Amino acid sequence: MKFALRATTSLFCVSIASMAAMPVFAQEQPAADQQDFDDSSIIVVTAQGREQQLSDVPVAISAVSGDLLEKSGANDIRELNQVAPSLLVSSTGNEANGSARIRGIGTVGDNPGLESSVAVFVDGVYRSRSGNALSELGPIDRIEILRGPQGTLGGRNASAGLISIYTAKPEFEFGGYGAFSYGNYDAIRIEGGVTGPVSETIAARVDGVYFKRDGFYTDVTNDTDVNNRDRYLVRGQLLFEPNDALDARLTVDYSNKNEACCAAVFVQPGFAPLARVSPGLDPFAMPLPGSPALTSTQNPIIPILLALGQNPNALSQETFNYNIYPTAGRSYEGETEDYGAAFEVNYDFGNVSLTSITGYREYSNNQASDTDYTTVDILYRAPGEDAGSRAFETFTQELRLKGTAFNDRLDWLIGGFFANEDLTVRDNLRFGTQYGAFAPCRIVNAVNPALASPLSTGCLSAGGRAILQAANGGAGAFGAATPLIFAGLDTLAQVNDLGGTGDIYEQNSKNFAFFTHNIFHVTDTIDLTLGLRYTNETKDFDAEFGNDNVFCPQQRALMSGLLGTPLAGLAGGLIALSCQGNSTSEIDGLTLSDSRKEDAFSGTAVLSWQPTPDLLLYGSYSRGYKAGGFNLDRSALSNPVAGNPALIGTTANLQFDQEEVDAFEIGAKFTAPGFSLSGAIYRQEFSNFQLNTFNGSVFLVQNVNACGTDLSGADRDASPVTGACSPDDVQPGVVAQGVELEASLSPVRDLTMTMGITYTDTSYEDNLIGRDTGSPLDPALRLLPGDNLSNAPEWVGTTSFSYTPELGNSGLSGLFFVNARMTGDYNTGSDLLFGKEQDGFFLVNARVGIRGPDEAWSIEGWAQNLFDKGYTQVAFNTPFVASQQTYSAFLAEPRTYGVTVRGKF
């Protein structure tokens, strides 16, 4: 944190000095010299549904040109992190689960039932989840990143912001390009395309990308590599422009990925100092200084793992060793297929213009996994179409009319949006072949770790059983129930290679909306913008389960009689481990159906003033909305300890409520020749914030609110029933507030510098509760009150330097480009447990090269993560490896480097 604060403070001082000096410098230059300023950084955006220069738009927006993206080496939206300080894109256990966050707010976790807080559009067509955009982009014209609630300008509504990607269009002048890159990890990237006229009114374009690279993890157990790249994209376009009034654009694309993803490693104290054993083995208690590592044998679960075959190197190596030791024969192989078509028509009737955008997309992904990430076979997904798969079929239609009225005093826009999305989720998650040896040891450890015998049935040797039977003067450690507890351990020991045989979740979502966005030119310098959106959402849910775990109902029959006795904790633990996540044959063949309907109004009001042509001031209020839905996970049906989920489970337990946000913002934008500066101060208040977190056994989906009355710490205790609140006293549970500053300086034509600094306090309120009915917060989230959200650093700074000087009179030019992102400390775990912290870090990309006349060719050397900084994307509870709970982490890519040769005509 201190490093990031010093770095961002230095950047801030430089930017202020530049801001003060640049206008004076510009005024002192002769008129002829003024033309030498580089105006290539001027970006035209359509953030308000109209073409405007970025500096004239009274909203918080970052726009990135295609040229900057090429120089920075951006191939998918993750690499936008380097150029947009308020944005963070990361991926977790599956690339389809990639999450985009703006101002610290984003959808967390691996559940496709949750829609993205940050909506992603490609050429105006909505992508169903932000993770769907984690693929090759091909040639890009620009990317617009809008911060804050969105919805009154069309498309899908979003509660945190949106990313609009605009690909390069066909051109009526014949041309083409090609590039070949080779890098470490045996990386090969080939891209190329051609564009030109088909006739006087039709132009065409075809682009393609192929990328193959070895994985940066080494799977020592199976002698392979993981987190590789093997993907390609093909995109074809037709542009029809018969006259100045009409243009129509048809885009068809197909992409495919066959890759092994995503491995994880144990978190060690050398990286996360708090990844240590806590007092009483309580993960919610801060570890004492110098206490043993979570992966040491002082954690009682570690000797169990070692006895069952865990490779000890995985427990002792540093976090960023990149060697992994999964179960023999388990795989991370998966396939992603994404294709679709978009048709955009624009027609100018004179004072009114029409835009129609029609889109159809299909997206599918499956990913096998060694789901416990250890050498011991505890939990897995076998490769195939059912391996944690999700498939989207999405049709969208958007219509917009815009024009002017009252002698151009009013710029009006009205429109409608419709989306029909079919989502199918399939899963085959199963207990591994050693689960029956591992799980009973968790029970025995809770009784007496000295008695644990992992190679004995039920984790108890004959001698251990004798000791327990002889306890209490021969009455037995558990009294008359001692033989019954032994039977429970033996039953749990039989849960091997059982579980899901094919769970299927189907959800149809129909969304329609009407919206309007109007700019009133009150005077020549004052504008009032009013926007309103009505959204109606219907979701129909169906599920069918397949499961062959016959030992869960047997265990419940054995243990249920003890649930009302002092042995309830022990009996409940045996049931829970036998039926974890409602994995039981009792639901085999069970079908469920439900539906939910909701509607909401959202909107915006902006007052802007342009006192001079170079300065824009504005203030705004926005209300945003994100739909509720269904938790597509059987573990939420019911508590398996309470009874048969086929009888007591209910789809009401799967539902979560819609998320709403009230956002306030003031901002300013200043421009001068070769210089621009923008800033914003904002506050966003989220009600029914949708949180998805993994507690080590199951995924929890919970709405988060706050209570206006002091709960006296009841939201921080381990009880699931304390900490309720009156529904009339419910308040927003998450607040994001901060300051953003972005600047660009181009003093001469060949030199451009950019800078961005963000201070964001995105945190949970005190006195947290669950839903807006006032229900208590889940105790697994009891560290959240008053703390920052996960993956929400307070300080982030970005900067870039681009220099492309002419090399004498040869016609050649050089290229020197570097960008950097400085990030403050943050916790990567959505439950904020100790040991999941990520210290601040500094990430640098660089590119140098030489270019031919008119940039007809170039040779470039490049490096991503130049200084090979190791950092985590997400740390999480290692599944079932407790107590004390150990942590694993998905690591970001290490340094990659290589050479690129380009040519164009």
Side-chain angles (χ1 to χ4, degrees), residues 117-135:
S117 299
V118 178
V120 177
F121 294 81
V122 179
D123 291 329
V125 176
Y126 172 67
R127 297 298 176 97
S128 295
R129 302 293 183 270
S130 55
N132 295 11
L134 292 180
S135 59

mmCIF file with all atom_site columns, all heavy atoms in Angstrom, residues 117-135:
data_model
loop_
_atom_site.group_PDB
_atom_site.id
_atom_site.type_symbol
_atom_site.label_atom_id
_atom_site.label_alt_id
_atom_site.label_comp_id
_atom_site.label_asym_id
_atom_site.label_entity_id
_atom_site.label_seq_id
_atom_site.pdbx_PDB_ins_code
_atom_site.Cartn_x
_atom_site.Cartn_y
_atom_site.Cartn_z
_atom_site.occupancy
_atom_site.B_iso_or_equiv
_atom_site.pdbx_formal_charge
_atom_site.auth_seq_id
_atom_site.auth_comp_id
_atom_site.auth_asym_id
_atom_site.auth_atom_id
_atom_site.pdbx_PDB_model_num
ATOM 1   N N   . SER A 1 117 ? -22.279 -7.266  -13.498 1.00 0.00 ? 117 SER A N   1
ATOM 2   C CA  . SER A 1 117 ? -22.457 -5.875  -13.069 1.00 0.00 ? 117 SER A CA  1
ATOM 3   C C   . SER A 1 117 ? -21.913 -4.913  -14.116 1.00 0.00 ? 117 SER A C   1
ATOM 4   O O   . SER A 1 117 ? -22.392 -3.788  -14.244 1.00 0.00 ? 117 SER A O   1
ATOM 5   C CB  . SER A 1 117 ? -21.750 -5.636  -11.737 1.00 0.00 ? 117 SER A CB  1
ATOM 6   O OG  . SER A 1 117 ? -22.274 -6.459  -10.729 1.00 0.00 ? 117 SER A OG  1
ATOM 7   N N   . VAL A 1 118 ? -20.888 -5.362  -14.833 1.00 0.00 ? 118 VAL A N   1
ATOM 8   C CA  . VAL A 1 118 ? -20.310 -4.586  -15.922 1.00 0.00 ? 118 VAL A CA  1
ATOM 9   C C   . VAL A 1 118 ? -20.695 -5.273  -17.230 1.00 0.00 ? 118 VAL A C   1
ATOM 10  O O   . VAL A 1 118 ? -20.234 -6.370  -17.522 1.00 0.00 ? 118 VAL A O   1
ATOM 11  C CB  . VAL A 1 118 ? -18.778 -4.491  -15.798 1.00 0.00 ? 118 VAL A CB  1
ATOM 12  C CG1 . VAL A 1 118 ? -18.188 -3.716  -16.971 1.00 0.00 ? 118 VAL A CG1 1
ATOM 13  C CG2 . VAL A 1 118 ? -18.391 -3.837  -14.476 1.00 0.00 ? 118 VAL A CG2 1
ATOM 14  N N   . ALA A 1 119 ? -21.567 -4.643  -18.002 1.00 0.00 ? 119 ALA A N   1
ATOM 15  C CA  . ALA A 1 119 ? -22.023 -5.224  -19.262 1.00 0.00 ? 119 ALA A CA  1
ATOM 16  C C   . ALA A 1 119 ? -20.965 -5.039  -20.343 1.00 0.00 ? 119 ALA A C   1
ATOM 17  O O   . ALA A 1 119 ? -20.265 -4.024  -20.371 1.00 0.00 ? 119 ALA A O   1
ATOM 18  C CB  . ALA A 1 119 ? -23.337 -4.589  -19.702 1.00 0.00 ? 119 ALA A CB  1
ATOM 19  N N   . VAL A 1 120 ? -20.856 -6.017  -21.211 1.00 0.00 ? 120 VAL A N   1
ATOM 20  C CA  . VAL A 1 120 ? -19.902 -5.962  -22.321 1.00 0.00 ? 120 VAL A CA  1
ATOM 21  C C   . VAL A 1 120 ? -20.671 -6.030  -23.631 1.00 0.00 ? 120 VAL A C   1
ATOM 22  O O   . VAL A 1 120 ? -21.518 -6.910  -23.824 1.00 0.00 ? 120 VAL A O   1
ATOM 23  C CB  . VAL A 1 120 ? -18.875 -7.103  -22.241 1.00 0.00 ? 120 VAL A CB  1
ATOM 24  C CG1 . VAL A 1 120 ? -17.935 -7.065  -23.449 1.00 0.00 ? 120 VAL A CG1 1
ATOM 25  C CG2 . VAL A 1 120 ? -18.074 -7.022  -20.948 1.00 0.00 ? 120 VAL A CG2 1
ATOM 26  N N   . PHE A 1 121 ? -20.369 -5.093  -24.518 1.00 0.00 ? 121 PHE A N   1
ATOM 27  C CA  . PHE A 1 121 ? -20.962 -5.061  -25.853 1.00 0.00 ? 121 PHE A CA  1
ATOM 28  C C   . PHE A 1 121 ? -19.840 -5.112  -26.889 1.00 0.00 ? 121 PHE A C   1
ATOM 29  O O   . PHE A 1 121 ? -18.791 -4.479  -26.710 1.00 0.00 ? 121 PHE A O   1
ATOM 30  C CB  . PHE A 1 121 ? -21.768 -3.771  -26.073 1.00 0.00 ? 121 PHE A CB  1
ATOM 31  C CG  . PHE A 1 121 ? -22.985 -3.648  -25.203 1.00 0.00 ? 121 PHE A CG  1
ATOM 32  C CD1 . PHE A 1 121 ? -22.889 -3.210  -23.897 1.00 0.00 ? 121 PHE A CD1 1
ATOM 33  C CD2 . PHE A 1 121 ? -24.236 -3.971  -25.704 1.00 0.00 ? 121 PHE A CD2 1
ATOM 34  C CE1 . PHE A 1 121 ? -24.007 -3.087  -23.093 1.00 0.00 ? 121 PHE A CE1 1
ATOM 35  C CE2 . PHE A 1 121 ? -25.365 -3.857  -24.913 1.00 0.00 ? 121 PHE A CE2 1
ATOM 36  C CZ  . PHE A 1 121 ? -25.254 -3.415  -23.602 1.00 0.00 ? 121 PHE A CZ  1
ATOM 37  N N   . VAL A 1 122 ? -20.069 -5.857  -27.935 1.00 0.00 ? 122 VAL A N   1
ATOM 38  C CA  . VAL A 1 122 ? -19.153 -5.867  -29.076 1.00 0.00 ? 122 VAL A CA  1
ATOM 39  C C   . VAL A 1 122 ? -19.952 -5.441  -30.299 1.00 0.00 ? 122 VAL A C   1
ATOM 40  O O   . VAL A 1 122 ? -20.929 -6.095  -30.681 1.00 0.00 ? 122 VAL A O   1
ATOM 41  C CB  . VAL A 1 122 ? -18.525 -7.256  -29.296 1.00 0.00 ? 122 VAL A CB  1
ATOM 42  C CG1 . VAL A 1 122 ? -17.590 -7.228  -30.509 1.00 0.00 ? 122 VAL A CG1 1
ATOM 43  C CG2 . VAL A 1 122 ? -17.760 -7.702  -28.055 1.00 0.00 ? 122 VAL A CG2 1
ATOM 44  N N   . ASP A 1 123 ? -19.571 -4.319  -30.872 1.00 0.00 ? 123 ASP A N   1
ATOM 45  C CA  . ASP A 1 123 ? -20.293 -3.735  -32.011 1.00 0.00 ? 123 ASP A CA  1
ATOM 46  C C   . ASP A 1 123 ? -21.781 -3.594  -31.713 1.00 0.00 ? 123 ASP A C   1
ATOM 47  O O   . ASP A 1 123 ? -22.648 -3.885  -32.535 1.00 0.00 ? 123 ASP A O   1
ATOM 48  C CB  . ASP A 1 123 ? -20.067 -4.569  -33.271 1.00 0.00 ? 123 ASP A CB  1
ATOM 49  C CG  . ASP A 1 123 ? -18.644 -4.475  -33.773 1.00 0.00 ? 123 ASP A CG  1
ATOM 50  O OD1 . ASP A 1 123 ? -18.015 -3.420  -33.586 1.00 0.00 ? 123 ASP A OD1 1
ATOM 51  O OD2 . ASP A 1 123 ? -18.147 -5.462  -34.341 1.00 0.00 ? 123 ASP A OD2 1
ATOM 52  N N   . GLY A 1 124 ? -22.066 -3.164  -30.490 1.00 0.00 ? 124 GLY A N   1
ATOM 53  C CA  . GLY A 1 124 ? -23.433 -2.886  -30.101 1.00 0.00 ? 124 GLY A CA  1
ATOM 54  C C   . GLY A 1 124 ? -24.246 -4.086  -29.670 1.00 0.00 ? 124 GLY A C   1
ATOM 55  O O   . GLY A 1 124 ? -25.402 -3.934  -29.276 1.00 0.00 ? 124 GLY A O   1
ATOM 56  N N   . VAL A 1 125 ? -23.660 -5.291  -29.701 1.00 0.00 ? 125 VAL A N   1
ATOM 57  C CA  . VAL A 1 125 ? -24.378 -6.514  -29.341 1.00 0.00 ? 125 VAL A CA  1
ATOM 58  C C   . VAL A 1 125 ? -23.928 -6.977  -27.964 1.00 0.00 ? 125 VAL A C   1
ATOM 59  O O   . VAL A 1 125 ? -22.728 -7.130  -27.700 1.00 0.00 ? 125 VAL A O   1
ATOM 60  C CB  . VAL A 1 125 ? -24.149 -7.623  -30.382 1.00 0.00 ? 125 VAL A CB  1
ATOM 61  C CG1 . VAL A 1 125 ? -24.821 -8.926  -29.938 1.00 0.00 ? 125 VAL A CG1 1
ATOM 62  C CG2 . VAL A 1 125 ? -24.689 -7.190  -31.731 1.00 0.00 ? 125 VAL A CG2 1
ATOM 63  N N   . TYR A 1 126 ? -24.897 -7.208  -27.104 1.00 0.00 ? 126 TYR A N   1
ATOM 64  C CA  . TYR A 1 126 ? -24.635 -7.582  -25.713 1.00 0.00 ? 126 TYR A CA  1
ATOM 65  C C   . TYR A 1 126 ? -24.072 -8.990  -25.629 1.00 0.00 ? 126 TYR A C   1
ATOM 66  O O   . TYR A 1 126 ? -24.561 -9.919  -26.270 1.00 0.00 ? 126 TYR A O   1
ATOM 67  C CB  . TYR A 1 126 ? -25.946 -7.485  -24.923 1.00 0.00 ? 126 TYR A CB  1
ATOM 68  C CG  . TYR A 1 126 ? -25.896 -8.011  -23.516 1.00 0.00 ? 126 TYR A CG  1
ATOM 69  C CD1 . TYR A 1 126 ? -25.138 -7.377  -22.544 1.00 0.00 ? 126 TYR A CD1 1
ATOM 70  C CD2 . TYR A 1 126 ? -26.642 -9.133  -23.154 1.00 0.00 ? 126 TYR A CD2 1
ATOM 71  C CE1 . TYR A 1 126 ? -25.114 -7.845  -21.240 1.00 0.00 ? 126 TYR A CE1 1
ATOM 72  C CE2 . TYR A 1 126 ? -26.635 -9.608  -21.854 1.00 0.00 ? 126 TYR A CE2 1
ATOM 73  C CZ  . TYR A 1 126 ? -25.861 -8.964  -20.900 1.00 0.00 ? 126 TYR A CZ  1
ATOM 74  O OH  . TYR A 1 126 ? -25.847 -9.441  -19.618 1.00 0.00 ? 126 TYR A OH  1
ATOM 75  N N   . ARG A 1 127 ? -22.984 -9.142  -24.839 1.00 0.00 ? 127 ARG A N   1
ATOM 76  C CA  . ARG A 1 127 ? -22.446 -10.458 -24.507 1.00 0.00 ? 127 ARG A CA  1
ATOM 77  C C   . ARG A 1 127 ? -23.004 -10.878 -23.155 1.00 0.00 ? 127 ARG A C   1
ATOM 78  O O   . ARG A 1 127 ? -22.957 -10.119 -22.188 1.00 0.00 ? 127 ARG A O   1
ATOM 79  C CB  . ARG A 1 127 ? -20.920 -10.417 -24.466 1.00 0.00 ? 127 ARG A CB  1
ATOM 80  C CG  . ARG A 1 127 ? -20.281 -10.078 -25.810 1.00 0.00 ? 127 ARG A CG  1
ATOM 81  C CD  . ARG A 1 127 ? -20.616 -11.127 -26.853 1.00 0.00 ? 127 ARG A CD  1
ATOM 82  N NE  . ARG A 1 127 ? -20.112 -10.797 -28.172 1.00 0.00 ? 127 ARG A NE  1
ATOM 83  C CZ  . ARG A 1 127 ? -18.973 -11.258 -28.692 1.00 0.00 ? 127 ARG A CZ  1
ATOM 84  N NH1 . ARG A 1 127 ? -18.189 -12.052 -27.965 1.00 0.00 ? 127 ARG A NH1 1
ATOM 85  N NH2 . ARG A 1 127 ? -18.615 -10.933 -29.913 1.00 0.00 ? 127 ARG A NH2 1
ATOM 86  N N   . SER A 1 128 ? -23.529 -12.083 -23.078 1.00 0.00 ? 128 SER A N   1
ATOM 87  C CA  . SER A 1 128 ? -24.335 -12.495 -21.940 1.00 0.00 ? 128 SER A CA  1
ATOM 88  C C   . SER A 1 128 ? -23.615 -12.374 -20.596 1.00 0.00 ? 128 SER A C   1
ATOM 89  O O   . SER A 1 128 ? -24.228 -12.074 -19.586 1.00 0.00 ? 128 SER A O   1
ATOM 90  C CB  . SER A 1 128 ? -24.817 -13.935 -22.134 1.00 0.00 ? 128 SER A CB  1
ATOM 91  O OG  . SER A 1 128 ? -25.690 -14.016 -23.233 1.00 0.00 ? 128 SER A OG  1
ATOM 92  N N   . ARG A 1 129 ? -22.326 -12.644 -20.562 1.00 0.00 ? 129 ARG A N   1
ATOM 93  C CA  . ARG A 1 129 ? -21.542 -12.470 -19.344 1.00 0.00 ? 129 ARG A CA  1
ATOM 94  C C   . ARG A 1 129 ? -20.196 -11.886 -19.742 1.00 0.00 ? 129 ARG A C   1
ATOM 95  O O   . ARG A 1 129 ? -19.692 -12.152 -20.838 1.00 0.00 ? 129 ARG A O   1
ATOM 96  C CB  . ARG A 1 129 ? -21.347 -13.808 -18.611 1.00 0.00 ? 129 ARG A CB  1
ATOM 97  C CG  . ARG A 1 129 ? -22.643 -14.510 -18.213 1.00 0.00 ? 129 ARG A CG  1
ATOM 98  C CD  . ARG A 1 129 ? -23.422 -13.757 -17.156 1.00 0.00 ? 129 ARG A CD  1
ATOM 99  N NE  . ARG A 1 129 ? -24.627 -14.475 -16.743 1.00 0.00 ? 129 ARG A NE  1
ATOM 100 C CZ  . ARG A 1 129 ? -25.828 -14.341 -17.300 1.00 0.00 ? 129 ARG A CZ  1
ATOM 101 N NH1 . ARG A 1 129 ? -25.997 -13.506 -18.321 1.00 0.00 ? 129 ARG A NH1 1
ATOM 102 N NH2 . ARG A 1 129 ? -26.858 -15.026 -16.838 1.00 0.00 ? 129 ARG A NH2 1
ATOM 103 N N   . SER A 1 130 ? -19.589 -11.120 -18.840 1.00 0.00 ? 130 SER A N   1
ATOM 104 C CA  . SER A 1 130 ? -18.332 -10.470 -19.200 1.00 0.00 ? 130 SER A CA  1
ATOM 105 C C   . SER A 1 130 ? -17.242 -11.483 -19.514 1.00 0.00 ? 130 SER A C   1
ATOM 106 O O   . SER A 1 130 ? -16.355 -11.221 -20.318 1.00 0.00 ? 130 SER A O   1
ATOM 107 C CB  . SER A 1 130 ? -17.880 -9.519  -18.082 1.00 0.00 ? 130 SER A CB  1
ATOM 108 O OG  . SER A 1 130 ? -17.790 -10.191 -16.841 1.00 0.00 ? 130 SER A OG  1
ATOM 109 N N   . GLY A 1 131 ? -17.306 -12.673 -18.893 1.00 0.00 ? 131 GLY A N   1
ATOM 110 C CA  . GLY A 1 131 ? -16.327 -13.706 -19.194 1.00 0.00 ? 131 GLY A CA  1
ATOM 111 C C   . GLY A 1 131 ? -16.390 -14.185 -20.628 1.00 0.00 ? 131 GLY A C   1
ATOM 112 O O   . GLY A 1 131 ? -15.410 -14.727 -21.152 1.00 0.00 ? 131 GLY A O   1
ATOM 113 N N   . ASN A 1 132 ? -17.538 -13.991 -21.290 1.00 0.00 ? 132 ASN A N   1
ATOM 114 C CA  . ASN A 1 132 ? -17.658 -14.394 -22.690 1.00 0.00 ? 132 ASN A CA  1
ATOM 115 C C   . ASN A 1 132 ? -16.757 -13.577 -23.597 1.00 0.00 ? 132 ASN A C   1
ATOM 116 O O   . ASN A 1 132 ? -16.521 -13.958 -24.749 1.00 0.00 ? 132 ASN A O   1
ATOM 117 C CB  . ASN A 1 132 ? -19.106 -14.251 -23.170 1.00 0.00 ? 132 ASN A CB  1
ATOM 118 C CG  . ASN A 1 132 ? -20.054 -15.193 -22.451 1.00 0.00 ? 132 ASN A CG  1
ATOM 119 O OD1 . ASN A 1 132 ? -19.684 -15.812 -21.454 1.00 0.00 ? 132 ASN A OD1 1
ATOM 120 N ND2 . ASN A 1 132 ? -21.268 -15.295 -22.938 1.00 0.00 ? 132 ASN A ND2 1
ATOM 121 N N   . ALA A 1 133 ? -16.268 -12.427 -23.111 1.00 0.00 ? 133 ALA A N   1
ATOM 122 C CA  . ALA A 1 133 ? -15.399 -11.567 -23.927 1.00 0.00 ? 133 ALA A CA  1
ATOM 123 C C   . ALA A 1 133 ? -13.927 -11.842 -23.680 1.00 0.00 ? 133 ALA A C   1
ATOM 124 O O   . ALA A 1 133 ? -13.071 -11.118 -24.195 1.00 0.00 ? 133 ALA A O   1
ATOM 125 C CB  . ALA A 1 133 ? -15.709 -10.098 -23.649 1.00 0.00 ? 133 ALA A CB  1
ATOM 126 N N   . LEU A 1 134 ? -13.602 -12.884 -22.882 1.00 0.00 ? 134 LEU A N   1
ATOM 127 C CA  . LEU A 1 134 ? -12.201 -13.220 -22.643 1.00 0.00 ? 134 LEU A CA  1
ATOM 128 C C   . LEU A 1 134 ? -11.682 -14.086 -23.781 1.00 0.00 ? 134 LEU A C   1
ATOM 129 O O   . LEU A 1 134 ? -11.321 -15.246 -23.617 1.00 0.00 ? 134 LEU A O   1
ATOM 130 C CB  . LEU A 1 134 ? -12.047 -13.937 -21.299 1.00 0.00 ? 134 LEU A CB  1
ATOM 131 C CG  . LEU A 1 134 ? -12.323 -13.092 -20.059 1.00 0.00 ? 134 LEU A CG  1
ATOM 132 C CD1 . LEU A 1 134 ? -12.138 -13.926 -18.805 1.00 0.00 ? 134 LEU A CD1 1
ATOM 133 C CD2 . LEU A 1 134 ? -11.417 -11.881 -20.020 1.00 0.00 ? 134 LEU A CD2 1
ATOM 134 N N   . SER A 1 135 ? -11.655 -13.530 -24.957 1.00 0.00 ? 135 SER A N   1
ATOM 135 C CA  . SER A 1 135 ? -11.168 -14.240 -26.136 1.00 0.00 ? 135 SER A CA  1
ATOM 136 C C   . SER A 1 135 ? -10.550 -13.224 -27.071 1.00 0.00 ? 135 SER A C   1
ATOM 137 O O   . SER A 1 135 ? -10.540 -12.023 -26.798 1.00 0.00 ? 135 SER A O   1
ATOM 138 C CB  . SER A 1 135 ? -12.315 -14.997 -26.819 1.00 0.00 ? 135 SER A CB  1
ATOM 139 O OG  . SER A 1 135 ? -13.346 -14.106 -27.195 1.00 0.00 ? 135 SER A OG  1
#
